Amino acid sequence: MVSVAVVNQKGGVGKTTVALGLASAASARGSGVLVVDLYPQGNATTGLGVFEPGPGVDRVLAEESPGGLVDVVEDSAWPSEVGPPPRLAASSPGLAVREPQLATDPLGAQDRLALAMRGAMERDLLVLVDCPPSLGLLTVNALFAADAVLVVTEPGAWAVDGVSRILQTIDRIRMRRSDGGPELVGIAVNRLGRTRDGRYWDEQLRAAYPGRCLPSVHLRAAVSEAAAQSLPIHGLGSRPGASEAAAEFDVLLDRVLAAVPGSAVLQERSA
């Protein structure tokens, strides 16, 4: 199992879009994928076509549940023509209430997701954890559980400062984890438009974080259309921009897997 947390404390940068794009790319290669939706708004859950989920991830965060994540995983509604549909540990509105409750645990509740994932998942599985736009205990749980972390941002004003804050949080988590994780995969620049302003801010991000920025994901109507229809981007066929968007997520997945320790099995499957 390889787990990747998709994070940024700033909302509206397209974390869920990137998480689902990576899920689509992995599924199209025949890889098993599990999406863990920690965002109370549940966009990844509905993006996978699940509108009436089961108890979801909230159940394993309510109390310590070693290996319990497998009991709340359900099928997504993506079509199987593209590849094996991802599975889902769904979000629910109760997660918004759960976060302040986690803060009352006198022993600390930052590792409940890690406990729930322990020993419960298949070896050749990619787990993508879609995080809320905050640095609260839901995101902290993801960072304590994941092997690696992908920071998603957009080319706009204050993007550099926002990335700086999330990188500081990741460093603090790494100091507290006994294994030194999570590994930073890199920074994915999402929604890059073909404008002078977009190019300027993309250049600013790459100058501020040399060697850390991954290939960009461009702003395309096909990506929004896939989300609106709860379909994988690789399943949009001949729609304008769909194949180009799918190719960008394929490249991003390659870079993610290349940077994550222990992903050799998934890379062999993708070859």
Side-chain angles (χ1 to χ4, degrees):
M1 179 188 75
V2 172
S3 53
V4 181
V6 183
V7 304
N8 196 326
Q9 82 281 358
K10 184 179 183 298
V13 299
K15 293 183 299 297
T16 300
T17 299
V18 170
L20 293 181
L22 292 172
S24 178
S27 175
R29 300 179 186 189
S31 296
V33 184
L34 170 65
V35 176
V36 179
D37 190 357
L38 285 181
Y39 191 3
Q41 190 166 303
N43 289 344
T45 297
T46 56
L48 288 166
V50 178
F51 295 92
E52 295 183 3
V57 70
D58 182 56
R59 175 178 288 179
V60 299
L61 294 178
E63 58 185 9
E64 294 180 353
S65 180
L69 188 65
V70 68
D71 296 327
V72 301
V73 169
E74 57 189 290
D75 294 330
S76 75
W78 275 7
S80 59
E81 289 81 5
V82 172
R87 304 201 75 202
L88 170 68
S91 173
S92 67
L95 282 174
V97 179
R98 183 68 56 204
E99 187 160 42
Q101 292 175 348
L102 293 174
T104 66
D105 187 331
L107 296 180
Q110 69 275 1
D111 59 350
R112 288 192 184 178
L113 181 61
L115 285 171
M117 290 171 58
R118 185 177 296 170
M121 302 290 109
E122 299 91 342
R123 180 168 173 260
D124 57 343
L125 182 72
L126 174 63
V127 179
L128 297 166
V129 186
D130 188 31
C131 296
S134 73
L135 296 179
L137 274 169
L138 294 177
T139 297
V140 169
N141 260 269
L143 293 175
F144 268 91
D147 299 312
V149 55
L150 174 66
V151 177
V152 177
T153 189
E154 62 180 354
W158 305 295
V160 173
D161 290 340
V163 170
S164 175
R165 285 192 291 273
I166 191 66
L167 292 180
Q168 290 170 6
T169 300
I170 293 167
D171 286 342
R172 292 180 64 193
I173 299 292
R174 296 182 71 177
M175 288 189 290
R176 287 162 173 77
R177 281 181 49 169
S178 60
D179 62 357
E183 187 74 22
L184 176 64
V185 170
I187 302 163
V189 181
N190 189 35
R191 296 175 178 167
L192 177 59
R194 303 182 187 281
T195 64
R196 182 185 304 174
D197 187 63
R199 289 193 298 271
Y200 171 79
W201 289 112
D202 182 53
E203 291 167 359
Q204 291 297 303
L205 281 161
R206 294 179 185 280
Y209 304 105
R212 292 186 172 185
C213 290
L214 303 176
S216 301
V217 176
H218 285 83
L219 182 66
R220 301 181 194 276
V223 177
S224 299
E225 184 179 348
Q229 297 185 36
S230 299
L231 290 173
I233 187 63
H234 289 70
L236 284 190
S238 60
R239 288 173 176 80
S243 61
E244 292 85 352
E248 289 182 344
F249 283 116
D250 288 337
V251 170
L252 187 59
L253 179 64
D254 286 337
R255 293 292 297 270
V256 168
L257 294 180
V260 178
S263 65
V265 173
L266 286 169
Q267 292 183 66
E268 290 169 5
R269 183 180 288 269
S270 299

Short mmCIF file of all heavy atoms in Angstrom, two decimals, residues 28-61:
data_model
loop_
_atom_site.label_atom_id
_atom_site.label_comp_id
_atom_site.label_asym_id
_atom_site.label_seq_id
_atom_site.Cartn_x
_atom_site.Cartn_y
_atom_site.Cartn_z
N ALA A 28 -7.02 3.84 -14.83
CA ALA A 28 -6.85 3.55 -16.25
C ALA A 28 -5.68 2.62 -16.52
O ALA A 28 -5.63 1.96 -17.56
CB ALA A 28 -6.66 4.86 -17.02
N ARG A 29 -4.74 2.53 -15.57
CA ARG A 29 -3.61 1.62 -15.70
C ARG A 29 -3.88 0.26 -15.05
O ARG A 29 -3.02 -0.61 -15.04
CB ARG A 29 -2.37 2.23 -15.05
CG ARG A 29 -1.96 3.55 -15.67
CD ARG A 29 -0.75 4.13 -14.99
NE ARG A 29 -0.44 5.45 -15.50
CZ ARG A 29 0.67 6.13 -15.20
NH1 ARG A 29 1.56 5.60 -14.37
NH2 ARG A 29 0.89 7.32 -15.71
N GLY A 30 -5.07 0.11 -14.48
CA GLY A 30 -5.41 -1.16 -13.86
C GLY A 30 -5.03 -1.27 -12.41
O GLY A 30 -5.13 -2.35 -11.82
N SER A 31 -4.62 -0.17 -11.79
CA SER A 31 -4.21 -0.19 -10.39
C SER A 31 -5.41 -0.07 -9.46
O SER A 31 -6.40 0.60 -9.79
CB SER A 31 -3.23 0.96 -10.09
OG SER A 31 -2.05 0.82 -10.82
N GLY A 32 -5.32 -0.70 -8.31
CA GLY A 32 -6.32 -0.52 -7.28
C GLY A 32 -6.15 0.82 -6.61
O GLY A 32 -5.03 1.22 -6.28
N VAL A 33 -7.24 1.54 -6.40
CA VAL A 33 -7.20 2.88 -5.82
C VAL A 33 -8.25 2.97 -4.72
O VAL A 33 -9.37 2.50 -4.88
CB VAL A 33 -7.47 3.98 -6.87
CG1 VAL A 33 -7.32 5.36 -6.25
CG2 VAL A 33 -6.57 3.82 -8.08
N LEU A 34 -7.87 3.59 -3.62
CA LEU A 34 -8.81 3.93 -2.55
C LEU A 34 -8.71 5.42 -2.32
O LEU A 34 -7.61 5.95 -2.09
CB LEU A 34 -8.48 3.18 -1.26
CG LEU A 34 -9.24 3.63 -0.01
CD1 LEU A 34 -10.73 3.36 -0.15
CD2 LEU A 34 -8.69 2.93 1.23
N VAL A 35 -9.84 6.12 -2.36
CA VAL A 35 -9.89 7.54 -2.05
C VAL A 35 -10.48 7.69 -0.64
O VAL A 35 -11.58 7.20 -0.37
CB VAL A 35 -10.75 8.32 -3.07
CG1 VAL A 35 -10.87 9.79 -2.65
CG2 VAL A 35 -10.13 8.21 -4.47
N VAL A 36 -9.74 8.35 0.24
CA VAL A 36 -10.21 8.65 1.58
C VAL A 36 -10.59 10.12 1.60
O VAL A 36 -9.74 10.99 1.43
CB VAL A 36 -9.13 8.35 2.64
CG1 VAL A 36 -9.62 8.70 4.04
CG2 VAL A 36 -8.71 6.88 2.57
N ASP A 37 -11.86 10.39 1.81
CA ASP A 37 -12.37 11.76 1.72
C ASP A 37 -12.51 12.35 3.12
O ASP A 37 -13.47 12.07 3.83
CB ASP A 37 -13.72 11.77 1.00
CG ASP A 37 -14.20 13.17 0.65
OD1 ASP A 37 -13.50 14.14 1.02
OD2 ASP A 37 -15.27 13.30 0.01
N LEU A 38 -11.55 13.20 3.50
CA LEU A 38 -11.56 13.83 4.81
C LEU A 38 -12.18 15.22 4.81
O LEU A 38 -12.20 15.88 5.84
CB LEU A 38 -10.12 13.93 5.36
CG LEU A 38 -9.47 12.65 5.87
CD1 LEU A 38 -8.07 12.96 6.40
CD2 LEU A 38 -10.31 12.00 6.95
N TYR A 39 -12.68 15.63 3.68
CA TYR A 39 -13.27 16.98 3.55
C TYR A 39 -14.76 16.88 3.89
O TYR A 39 -15.51 16.21 3.18
CB TYR A 39 -13.06 17.48 2.13
CG TYR A 39 -13.35 18.94 1.88
CD1 TYR A 39 -13.74 19.81 2.90
CD2 TYR A 39 -13.24 19.46 0.60
CE1 TYR A 39 -14.01 21.14 2.65
CE2 TYR A 39 -13.50 20.79 0.33
CZ TYR A 39 -13.89 21.62 1.36
OH TYR A 39 -14.16 22.94 1.11
N PRO A 40 -15.22 17.55 4.96
CA PRO A 40 -16.64 17.44 5.32
C PRO A 40 -17.59 17.80 4.19
O PRO A 40 -18.72 17.31 4.15
CB PRO A 40 -16.77 18.42 6.50
CG PRO A 40 -15.41 18.46 7.11
CD PRO A 40 -14.45 18.34 5.96
N GLN A 41 -17.15 18.63 3.27
CA GLN A 41 -18.00 18.99 2.14
C GLN A 41 -18.25 17.83 1.20
O GLN A 41 -19.23 17.81 0.46
CB GLN A 41 -17.37 20.17 1.38
CG GLN A 41 -18.25 20.80 0.34
CD GLN A 41 -17.71 22.15 -0.12
OE1 GLN A 41 -17.49 23.05 0.68
NE2 GLN A 41 -17.46 22.27 -1.41
N GLY A 42 -17.33 16.86 1.21
CA GLY A 42 -17.55 15.61 0.48
C GLY A 42 -17.48 15.68 -1.02
O GLY A 42 -18.11 14.89 -1.72
N ASN A 43 -16.66 16.56 -1.57
CA ASN A 43 -16.60 16.69 -3.03
C ASN A 43 -16.00 15.46 -3.70
O ASN A 43 -16.42 15.09 -4.80
CB ASN A 43 -15.80 17.93 -3.42
CG ASN A 43 -16.52 19.22 -3.10
OD1 ASN A 43 -17.72 19.22 -2.86
ND2 ASN A 43 -15.80 20.32 -3.06
N ALA A 44 -15.02 14.83 -3.07
CA ALA A 44 -14.45 13.61 -3.66
C ALA A 44 -15.48 12.48 -3.65
O ALA A 44 -15.54 11.66 -4.57
CB ALA A 44 -13.18 13.20 -2.91
N THR A 45 -16.29 12.43 -2.59
CA THR A 45 -17.32 11.40 -2.49
C THR A 45 -18.33 11.54 -3.63
O THR A 45 -18.62 10.57 -4.35
CB THR A 45 -18.02 11.49 -1.13
OG1 THR A 45 -17.06 11.23 -0.09
CG2 THR A 45 -19.16 10.49 -1.02
N THR A 46 -18.87 12.73 -3.83
CA THR A 46 -19.82 12.92 -4.93
C THR A 46 -19.13 12.87 -6.28
O THR A 46 -19.73 12.44 -7.27
CB THR A 46 -20.58 14.25 -4.78
OG1 THR A 46 -19.64 15.34 -4.69
CG2 THR A 46 -21.43 14.24 -3.52
N GLY A 47 -17.86 13.29 -6.34
CA GLY A 47 -17.11 13.19 -7.59
C GLY A 47 -16.91 11.76 -8.04
O GLY A 47 -16.72 11.49 -9.23
N LEU A 48 -16.97 10.82 -7.10
CA LEU A 48 -16.90 9.40 -7.42
C LEU A 48 -18.29 8.79 -7.61
O LEU A 48 -18.44 7.57 -7.72
CB LEU A 48 -16.16 8.65 -6.31
CG LEU A 48 -14.64 8.90 -6.29
CD1 LEU A 48 -14.04 8.42 -4.98
CD2 LEU A 48 -13.96 8.21 -7.47
N GLY A 49 -19.31 9.66 -7.64
CA GLY A 49 -20.66 9.21 -7.94
C GLY A 49 -21.40 8.61 -6.76
O GLY A 49 -22.41 7.93 -6.96
N VAL A 50 -20.93 8.86 -5.54
CA VAL A 50 -21.59 8.32 -4.35
C VAL A 50 -22.33 9.46 -3.65
O VAL A 50 -21.69 10.37 -3.11
CB VAL A 50 -20.56 7.66 -3.40
CG1 VAL A 50 -21.25 7.15 -2.13
CG2 VAL A 50 -19.84 6.53 -4.11
N PHE A 51 -23.64 9.40 -3.66
CA PHE A 51 -24.45 10.48 -3.12
C PHE A 51 -25.16 10.10 -1.82
O PHE A 51 -25.67 10.97 -1.11
CB PHE A 51 -25.47 10.94 -4.16
CG PHE A 51 -24.82 11.54 -5.38
CD1 PHE A 51 -24.53 10.74 -6.49
CD2 PHE A 51 -24.47 12.87 -5.41
CE1 PHE A 51 -23.91 11.28 -7.60
CE2 PHE A 51 -23.87 13.43 -6.53
CZ PHE A 51 -23.57 12.63 -7.62
N GLU A 52 -25.20 8.83 -1.51
CA GLU A 52 -25.75 8.36 -0.24
C GLU A 52 -24.77 7.37 0.37
O GLU A 52 -25.00 6.15 0.37
CB GLU A 52 -27.13 7.72 -0.46
CG GLU A 52 -28.18 8.72 -0.95
CD GLU A 52 -29.55 8.07 -1.08
OE1 GLU A 52 -29.70 6.88 -0.73
OE2 GLU A 52 -30.48 8.76 -1.53
N PRO A 53 -23.67 7.87 0.90
CA PRO A 53 -22.62 6.97 1.39
C PRO A 53 -22.99 6.30 2.70
O PRO A 53 -23.93 6.70 3.40
CB PRO A 53 -21.43 7.92 1.58
CG PRO A 53 -22.06 9.25 1.86
CD PRO A 53 -23.30 9.28 1.03
N GLY A 54 -22.21 5.27 3.02
CA GLY A 54 -22.33 4.61 4.31
C GLY A 54 -21.68 5.42 5.41
O GLY A 54 -21.47 6.64 5.25
N PRO A 55 -21.32 4.78 6.51
CA PRO A 55 -20.79 5.53 7.66
C PRO A 55 -19.49 6.27 7.37
O PRO A 55 -19.20 7.30 7.97
CB PRO A 55 -20.59 4.44 8.73
CG PRO A 55 -20.54 3.16 7.97
CD PRO A 55 -21.44 3.34 6.80
N GLY A 56 -18.70 5.74 6.45
CA GLY A 56 -17.52 6.47 5.99
C GLY A 56 -16.41 6.59 7.01
O GLY A 56 -16.39 5.96 8.07
N VAL A 57 -15.49 7.50 6.69
CA VAL A 57 -14.27 7.64 7.47
C VAL A 57 -14.54 8.21 8.87
O VAL A 57 -13.75 8.00 9.79
CB VAL A 57 -13.25 8.49 6.69
CG1 VAL A 57 -13.68 9.94 6.62
CG2 VAL A 57 -11.85 8.37 7.29
N ASP A 58 -15.65 8.89 9.04
CA ASP A 58 -15.97 9.44 10.36
C ASP A 58 -16.01 8.36 11.42
O ASP A 58 -15.63 8.59 12.57
CB ASP A 58 -17.30 10.19 10.30
CG ASP A 58 -17.66 10.83 11.63
OD1 ASP A 58 -16.86 11.63 12.14
OD2 ASP A 58 -18.75 10.54 12.15
N ARG A 59 -16.47 7.16 11.07
CA ARG A 59 -16.58 6.08 12.06
C ARG A 59 -15.22 5.72 12.65
O ARG A 59 -15.12 5.46 13.85
CB ARG A 59 -17.22 4.85 11.43
CG ARG A 59 -17.24 3.64 12.36
CD ARG A 59 -17.91 2.45 11.74
NE ARG A 59 -19.36 2.61 11.64
CZ ARG A 59 -20.17 1.69 11.12
NH1 ARG A 59 -19.66 0.56 10.64
NH2 ARG A 59 -21.47 1.90 11.07
N VAL A 60 -14.17 5.69 11.83
CA VAL A 60 -12.86 5.27 12.35
C VAL A 60 -12.12 6.42 13.03
O VAL A 60 -11.08 6.20 13.66
CB VAL A 60 -11.98 4.66 11.25
CG1 VAL A 60 -12.66 3.42 10.67
CG2 VAL A 60 -11.68 5.66 10.15
N LEU A 61 -12.65 7.64 12.89
CA LEU A 61 -12.06 8.77 13.61
C LEU A 61 -12.75 9.00 14.96
O LEU A 61 -12.22 9.70 15.82
CB LEU A 61 -12.15 10.04 12.78
CG LEU A 61 -11.33 10.06 11.48
CD1 LEU A 61 -11.56 11.37 10.74
CD2 LEU A 61 -9.84 9.85 11.75
#
